[in-house]
Amino acid sequence: MATYVIGDIHGELEQLKILLLKMNFGDADELYIMGDVVDRGPHPVKALQFLMTLPNCTCIVGNHEIMALTNLKLLLKEVTDTFLAKLSKEDMGQLLDWMKNGGDTTIAEFTKLSVEERKAVLDYIGEFELYKELEAGGREYLLVHAGLENFSEEKRMEEYDLHELVWMRTDYEIPYFPHKIVITGHTPTQYILGNPRPGYIYRANNHIALDCGACSEGGRLAGICLETGEEFYAR
């Protein structure tokens, strides 16, 4: 049995399938996804539906899932001019903001689903976890999409609010815990100051950053095996 963690997928279904093949991922293994499965890339909803078929997969919620949940609930009905005309200014503003952040690809696939399929996808996103604490290979890990804003070692995980966990970026220069490694997505490693390998997994100060810009030029979907530390890349 092996424990694998994969960074932000952002609709890159083919890269996900390639990565799992490279990992030789099987039924006895455990898979964790660091959030932001949806938006930007070509197949965000199909990526969700693929993950739904994996019983040994746990997804951490990302900020793009939060935006998607808020807006996709509005799209359970057929999108028509009449539907759009009835949207409140607040709902329309949220929808436009989401689309500016890559939600258009998610909308395109979601609206092609049947009503039953749409409800199943929404139910699945609603089951994503805020964070996950686990042990693998004799080491302790905390998996959280963005980081721990307003961090204090004395602060219990349940005291962090949603914004602190899924939106605010990690300070990778500061180790949060002496004996626990924090694994995050959210911040592409291309943007981490001092990273000697932008676009590849970043490891320093008891942090592992897995968002390697899967849907960006020069980026790739990435994952890691917690027992061995081996890194895997879709391209």
Side-chain angles (χ1 to χ4, degrees):
M1 172 186 168
T3 309
Y4 297 102
V5 188
I6 291 177
D8 304 32
I9 296 169
H10 277 307
E12 294 291 344
L13 176 58
E14 292 310 310
Q15 287 194 62
L16 173 60
K17 291 180 177 179
I18 290 169
L19 198 60
L20 292 176
L21 284 173
K22 289 185 174 182
M23 290 173 166
N24 196 27
F25 177 71
D27 293 341
D29 301 320
E30 290 293 330
L31 176 65
Y32 294 89
I33 305 295
M34 292 306 302
D36 284 5
V37 177
V38 300
D39 299 349
R40 296 182 179 161
H43 297 299
V45 175
K46 288 182 180 178
L48 285 171
Q49 291 178 310
F50 175 75
L51 293 174
M52 288 166 67
T53 68
L54 305 178
N56 47 345
C57 174
T58 300
C59 292
I60 308 299
V61 69
N63 57 304
H64 282 264
E65 278 78 42
I66 299 300
M67 290 188 287
L69 267 179
T70 300
N71 290 283
L72 290 180
K73 289 177 181 178
L74 301 173
L75 304 179
L76 284 173
K77 300 179 180 179
E78 184 180 358
V79 180
T80 62
D81 290 341
T82 303
F83 164 80
L84 293 173
K86 290 182 178 179
L87 283 180
S88 68
K89 287 185 178 180
E90 181 181 357
D91 288 341
M92 181 61 78
Q94 288 181 340
L95 185 59
L96 291 174
D97 284 343
W98 179 43
M99 291 178 70
K100 290 177 184 177
N101 279 284
D104 53 333
T105 59
T106 304
I107 293 171
E109 285 197 325
F110 187 79
T111 52
K112 292 177 182 177
L113 302 179
S114 68
V115 173
E116 291 74 18
E117 289 172 325
R118 295 181 194 187
K119 289 180 179 178
V121 166
L122 285 175
D123 287 344
Y124 182 64
I125 297 175
E127 295 172 357
F128 282 20
E129 300 192 19
L130 274 177
Y131 61 89
K132 186 72 176 181
E133 295 177 287
L134 56 89
E135 184 176 330
R139 305 199 72 168
E140 293 183 21
Y141 295 91
L142 168 66
L143 281 58
V144 60
H145 175 67
L148 300 173
E149 179 71 1
N150 301 312
F151 171 75
S152 168
E153 196 170 345
E154 288 74 38
K155 191 174 181 178
R156 300 190 308 273
M157 285 302 301
E158 57 268 26
E159 294 180 289
Y160 288 94
D161 63 33
L162 184 66
H163 191 75
E164 291 173 316
L165 298 175
V166 307
W167 282 101
M168 305 307 294
R169 300 196 184 277
T170 292
D171 184 348
Y172 292 103
E173 296 182 1
I174 300 173
Y176 286 167
F177 303 100
H179 305 298
K180 184 184 296 183
I181 297 173
V182 179
I183 302 179
T184 50
H186 192 56
T187 300
T189 63
Q190 293 91 326
Y191 302 149
I192 297 176
L193 295 177
N195 180 11
R197 297 194 308 155
Y200 293 87
I201 293 171
Y202 177 79
R203 295 198 259 189
N205 301 317
N206 276 358
H207 289 288
I208 299 177
L210 289 181
D211 183 357
C212 295
C215 63
S216 64
E217 185 176 353
R220 58 204 45 83
L221 188 62
I224 191 170
C225 175
L226 297 187
E227 283 80 9
T228 65
E230 183 178 2
E231 298 177 6
F232 298 87
Y233 298 95
R235 60 189 184 193

